[in-house]
Amino acid sequence: MESADMSDWLSTRLQPVIHFEDSFHPMWTFARFLIEDVKVEIGNINPGYDFKYVPETGIWESGPAIWPYIKEVTVKDTSMPVLSLEIQLETNMNRELEHRIANIIDVFKREGYNSELLKFSLSEENYLSIRDKPLKNISPEEAEF
């Protein structure tokens, strides 16, 4: 998704969003803000076809299978929907965004993660690549989604 020419792009009043197609041809509507030195990215992806989740192939973070796992996060009295890190990890692994992968795994080590959701979310290849990393596991009952 991110090419060199848009990697530093930020939303402005004149251009609050950008529209583009990626290599899989879904149409994106995308915004990026810097809020108190935190990069916040908001995307809407229209695949243009009927996308179905297939177990062990990795969940698509914009597909219909993600909706039960959306969390509400509040920042400065503003609540916003956020996708679970277990699901975000799949996308970041597929995009080979090593800094994001490392940050997500650090959060898992500190705060735990939902092992069932992680296995559901990751492709078999990605799951096997992190399966033996020492992470703090939490039970599905402890998970908030």
Side-chain angles (χ1 to χ4, degrees):
M1 174 187 86
E2 248 177 64
S3 63
D5 49 277
M6 73 171 271
S7 62
D8 293 327
W9 177 84
L10 292 173
S11 296
T12 64
R13 286 184 192 262
L14 293 175
Q15 188 180 22
V17 299
I18 54 175
H19 303 278
F20 60 92
E21 289 187 34
D22 70 12
S23 58
F24 297 106
H25 305 292
M27 181 55 82
W28 283 72
T29 301
F30 184 77
R32 182 184 292 139
F33 303 93
L34 198 58
I35 302 172
E36 295 191 16
D37 295 326
V38 175
K39 187 184 339 177
V40 177
E41 297 178 338
I42 302 167
N44 180 53
I45 307 167
N46 182 356
Y49 56 90
D50 188 22
F51 188 88
K52 301 249 189 285
Y53 171 73
V54 178
E56 297 186 1
T57 60
I59 194 168
W60 181 43
E61 73 176 13
S62 294
I66 60 120
W67 290 109
Y69 309 105
I70 299 292
K71 297 179 176 185
E72 288 291 320
V73 174
T74 302
V75 178
K76 294 211 174 229
D77 300 323
T78 301
S79 181
M80 63 188 84
V82 176
L83 192 57
S84 298
L85 288 177
E86 290 87 347
I87 295 172
Q88 289 186 43
L89 183 60
E90 171 69 13
T91 297
N92 287 300
M93 291 179 82
N94 291 339
R95 291 175 60 202
E96 298 178 353
L97 297 174
E98 297 301 325
H99 65 287
R100 290 186 182 183
I101 295 166
N103 287 339
I104 291 171
I105 290 174
D106 285 346
V107 170
F108 288 169
K109 287 178 180 177
R110 283 191 323 272
E111 300 177 22
Y113 66 101
N114 181 323
S115 61
E116 288 182 19
L117 181 56
L118 188 68
K119 186 158 179 44
F120 173 76
S121 302
L122 297 181
S123 66
E124 183 177 21
E125 178 184 347
N126 287 339
Y127 180 75
L128 292 173
S129 75
I130 68 154
R131 180 184 62 188
D132 298 323
K133 293 186 185 295
L135 304 174
K136 177 184 174 189
N137 192 3
I138 61 171
S139 69
E141 296 79 34
E142 295 174 288
E144 294 179 29
F145 46 68

